[in-house]
Amino acid sequence: MEIDTMATLSIKDVPDDLAERLRQRASRNHRSLQGELMAIIQQAMQPAQSALQPAPAPEVVGVGFGGLPILRNGSKSLEQLAAEHRERFPQPVDKGPYAVDIIRSERDAR
């Protein structure tokens, strides 16, 4: 009879700000802190894509404006998308109508 065993890892002296950021990341990904740490470890241990291998071809996921294809060129993590968004739009939008005002005016126009 073979018994499967799993190792237990422990990280000591984690700075409070890092631990809080990990908790927030776990919450965004709908995971426990343990689950988030396991996902990070699994991602880090995946073999890196070789530079010799060609990138996968974009996948057509729909048809957009003017009949042009909508392409998916891979996947990005939530953190990568957020960083790109912050880079493209460093200042928050503080002008323009609020969604609630638009909805109210549409409702009141009936």
Side-chain angles (χ1 to χ4, degrees):
M1 177 154 92
E2 187 176 316
I3 299 175
D4 291 331
T5 61
M6 297 184 125
T8 300
L9 302 176
S10 176
I11 302 173
K12 297 180 181 178
D13 300 323
V14 177
D16 289 339
D17 63 319
L18 179 59
E20 181 57 31
R21 291 194 336 242
L22 280 168
R23 282 187 204 95
Q24 291 173 1
R25 178 176 166 164
S27 177
R28 282 193 309 271
N29 291 323
H30 306 287
R31 295 185 183 121
S32 66
L33 182 57
Q34 179 73 26
E36 187 65 25
L37 291 169
M38 183 59 74
I40 291 169
I41 292 169
Q42 287 173 337
Q43 183 180 12
M45 298 312 301
Q46 288 180 351
Q49 184 176 355
S50 170
L52 301 176
Q53 294 177 340
E59 173 188 0
V60 177
V61 294
V63 179
F65 183 74
L68 297 173
I70 300 172
L71 303 175
R72 179 182 299 152
N73 290 315
S75 61
K76 296 180 182 178
S77 70
L78 182 60
E79 287 76 18
Q80 290 170 320
L81 292 172
E84 289 176 10
H85 184 77
R86 282 191 296 271
E87 187 175 311
R88 287 181 60 202
F89 307 103
Q91 298 298 320
V93 176
D94 59 353
K95 297 178 184 172
Y98 291 105
V100 68
D101 295 332
I102 295 170
I103 293 169
R104 283 182 182 143
S105 78
E106 290 294 317
R107 182 192 62 210
D108 295 342
R110 293 183 199 166

